[in-house]
Amino acid sequence: MSVTFAQGFTAAGVEAGISAVEGKKDLALVVNNGPLDAAAGVFTSNRFCAAPVQWSRKIVADGHVKAVILNSGGANACTGEEGYAQSKATAEKVAELAGIKADDVAVCSTGLIGELLPLDHVLDGAAKAYAALDSTAEAGVDASHAIMTTDTKPKTVELTGSNGWKIGGMVKGSGMIAPQLATMLCVITTDAVVSAGQLQAALTVAAEHSFNRIDVDGCMSTNDTVLLLASGASGIEPDKDEFNKLVREACSSLSRQIIGDGEGASHDIRITVTGATSEEAALACGRAVAASNLLKCAISGNDPNWGRIVSSLGTVPEAVAPYDSDKVTVDVNGVRICENGGAGRDRSEVDMTPREVHIDIDLNTGSDAAATVWTDDLTHEYVHINADYES
């Protein structure tokens, strides 16, 4: 059901003629019907952030959002004042349709950078989507399809709290994924009674441990947006710890689905670093390994090349992650192929046939801090997708 799983939300996904892919649904609308309109958001830190990010960051700042309009087929990034005016006009159109203020409408876009949107199509699509709004499972699925670009499948989540309140969500993302969010548009909805402050606190922590710990290709986007909206329609005020836990679970599920649909990927790679002096040190080491294109290519060829793992690990400054290289061990899919910084068991013993590849690195510093990041391998198909990219 995606974003319509939680009570109080309606959604639609329609074909508006924005995408270069003929017949594709390319515009989604999500409306919070209340009684609450609490909201939180996290956004790309890219200095070339897109017009809709600039608009939505301002809109979410007061903790209130009543509707979100999202399009694929064009990023509206690096389009200057005219691009910002398009985002504003889009919000104003939704506001007119819904009888709300434009300052309560978030805007999200994804697709090619550097081109303005066909605004007439966007505005007509907004009217079409508003007319199609529904709370059904089908409406939520339509919305999740409409935000896809190179994604091969929609990515959604549904979770229920212990006393009946719900969380639903959708995300798009497949390539241009780096550990500073990802090329993603994400809307998560809940019918719990929670404040904007609680939403923001929960989302910030959840994003840090999920969307900020995935890396398909090391490329940071201009349009990343993650929104968390609360309708309060269940009338249930959740336990704070349970709420935070489920928001984190929702974000973890959606981010893991992004990795599972990485552009052209044949392996999902989980990198866990243990025995670090701090979580920050473990995370820096994990990210260094995840960023290695040499390793990604090796994994694509079913080669658990531990030399590419430790060489990337060695790029992390000692001031960031102190460890003794002569004590480091590396296991790939349960086989210790690096022992005390040198060769362990023969890497031919490693079974590389599963989709998931588990790389476990122990720094053996005497401390027990740990962190996990996920990445994908790089294949010929990744090159083809990005050489011929159309939004």
Side-chain angles (χ1 to χ4, degrees):
M1 293 184 73
S2 181
V3 290
T4 55
F5 182 64
Q7 298 179 67
F9 293 92
T10 51
V14 299
E15 179 188 347
I18 305 166
S19 173
V21 181
E22 187 174 353
K24 181 190 179 301
K25 287 184 173 65
D26 52 14
L27 186 140
L29 182 61
V30 180
V31 174
N32 181 354
N33 298 294
L36 301 181
D37 61 1
V42 292
F43 302 89
T44 182
S45 57
N46 195 303
R47 291 170 64 189
F48 282 85
C49 65
V53 171
Q54 296 170 36
W55 172 267
S56 295
R57 184 182 281 136
K58 180 185 71 172
I59 294 307
V60 175
D62 69 356
H64 298 280
V65 170
K66 295 181 183 293
V68 185
I69 184 168
L70 313 93
N71 75 270
S72 56
N76 193 12
C78 303
T79 49
E81 292 182 3
E82 192 172 356
Y84 187 83
Q86 285 197 337
S87 292
K88 183 174 184 288
T90 302
E92 289 172 342
K93 179 64 174 180
V94 173
E96 176 189 346
L97 292 164
I100 57 179
K101 296 178 181 179
D103 285 349
D104 288 330
V105 180
V107 179
C108 303
S109 300
T110 184
L112 286 173
I113 293 170
E115 297 180 3
L116 289 165
L117 294 170
L119 186 59
D120 288 347
H121 291 244
V122 174
L123 301 183
D124 289 345
K128 185 177 180 181
Y130 186 78
L133 283 172
D134 209 327
S135 60
T136 63
E138 183 180 4
V141 170
D142 285 346
S144 65
H145 277 276
I147 61 175
M148 291 166 51
T149 51
T150 58
D151 309 66
T152 66
K153 54 190 174 184
K155 303 165 183 67
T156 63
V157 67
E158 299 172 5
L159 298 170
T160 303
S162 60
N163 52 349
W165 58 275
K166 298 177 180 179
I167 288 180
M170 65 179 184
V171 71
K172 65 82 49 183
S174 186
M176 205 174 184
I177 307 295
Q180 301 93 6
L181 296 185
T183 296
M184 54 188 297
L185 302 182
C186 178
V187 178
I188 302 171
T189 58
T190 181
D191 53 21
V193 177
V194 287
S195 68
Q198 186 176 351
L199 290 176
Q200 190 64 60
L203 182 61
T204 299
V205 172
E208 176 59 32
H209 288 85
S210 56
F211 300 125
N212 283 342
R213 298 195 181 186
I214 57 176
D215 184 345
V216 170
D217 48 22
C219 296
M220 184 183 184
S221 172
T222 56
N223 288 64
D224 307 329
T225 300
V226 183
L227 300 174
L228 175 58
L229 313 178
S231 69
S234 70
I236 300 170
E237 185 172 344
D239 174 79
K240 182 177 180 179
D241 290 340
E242 184 184 22
F243 181 77
N244 293 345
K245 178 176 179 289
L246 261 65
V247 171
R248 186 162 168 172
E249 285 184 16
C251 291
S252 294
S253 173
L254 293 170
S255 64
R256 179 66 184 85
Q257 290 177 61
I258 290 174
I259 287 294
D261 194 30
E263 288 178 344
S266 61
H267 290 91
D268 305 342
I269 308 167
R270 189 211 69 197
I271 302 166
T272 297
V273 179
T274 59
T277 54
S278 67
E279 183 179 359
E280 292 74 17
L283 184 57
C285 290
R287 283 179 170 169
V289 174
S292 170
N293 286 339
L294 284 174
L295 175 62
K296 292 169 184 282
C297 291
I299 298 299
S300 176
N302 291 324
D303 177 10
N305 190 327
W306 65 269
R308 294 177 176 177
I309 297 171
V310 297
S311 62
S312 297
L313 190 65
T315 66
V316 181
E318 185 174 1
V320 175
Y323 62 84
D324 182 347
S325 61
D326 290 334
K327 294 182 179 179
V328 171
T329 64
V330 178
D331 295 12
V332 177
N333 287 350
V335 179
R336 181 150 299 175
I337 54 176
C338 174
E339 181 79 43
N340 296 327
R345 292 165 60 184
D346 193 281
R347 65 194 196 206
S348 64
E349 298 181 39
V350 181
D351 180 7
M352 296 293 289
T353 56
R355 170 82 186 198
E356 285 194 14
V357 174
H358 295 173
I359 298 175
D360 295 293
I361 301 165
D362 192 342
L363 301 180
N364 285 305
T365 66
S367 301
D368 59 1
T372 295
V373 298
W374 282 88
T375 189
D376 285 308
D377 59 357
L378 287 180
T379 66
H380 294 294
E381 183 61 21
Y382 177 87
V383 177
H384 292 315
I385 290 170
N386 286 282
D388 301 319
Y389 177 67
E390 288 185 301
S391 58

